[in-house]
Amino acid sequence: MAGIKDVAKRAGVSITTASRVLNNVEYPVAPGTRRRVEAAARELRYSPSALARALVTRRSGIVGVL
């Protein structure tokens, strides 16, 4: 499974830039750079890590039952 680091490396951009493109952050990214990152994500079959997202947002979406 490809991670964001792999996508950034393939696209030739920083991890921050790849993250901004993949998370649709409203930050100016050149159209050519955006296309390269999106193409790299498709080629590598990138999918966001649920664990990483849960760590950042402090929400897992999992309900525990005892």
Side-chain angles (χ1 to χ4, degrees):
M1 177 84 38
I4 196 161
K5 290 179 183 180
D6 302 315
V7 172
K9 186 175 180 179
R10 170 75 60 97
V13 298
S14 69
I15 295 170
T16 303
T17 299
S19 175
R20 287 176 177 156
V21 170
L22 296 171
N23 292 311
N24 292 319
V25 175
E26 291 192 27
Y27 189 87
V29 176
T33 302
R34 182 173 295 277
R35 283 191 298 270
R36 281 197 332 265
V37 172
E38 290 170 346
R42 278 192 306 275
E43 289 171 15
L44 296 171
R45 295 182 177 198
Y46 167 77
S47 66
S49 167
L51 177 59
R53 172 81 53 201
L55 288 171
V56 170
T57 63
R58 293 183 165 207
R59 303 184 94 184
S60 66
I62 297 173
V63 177
V65 178
L66 296 175

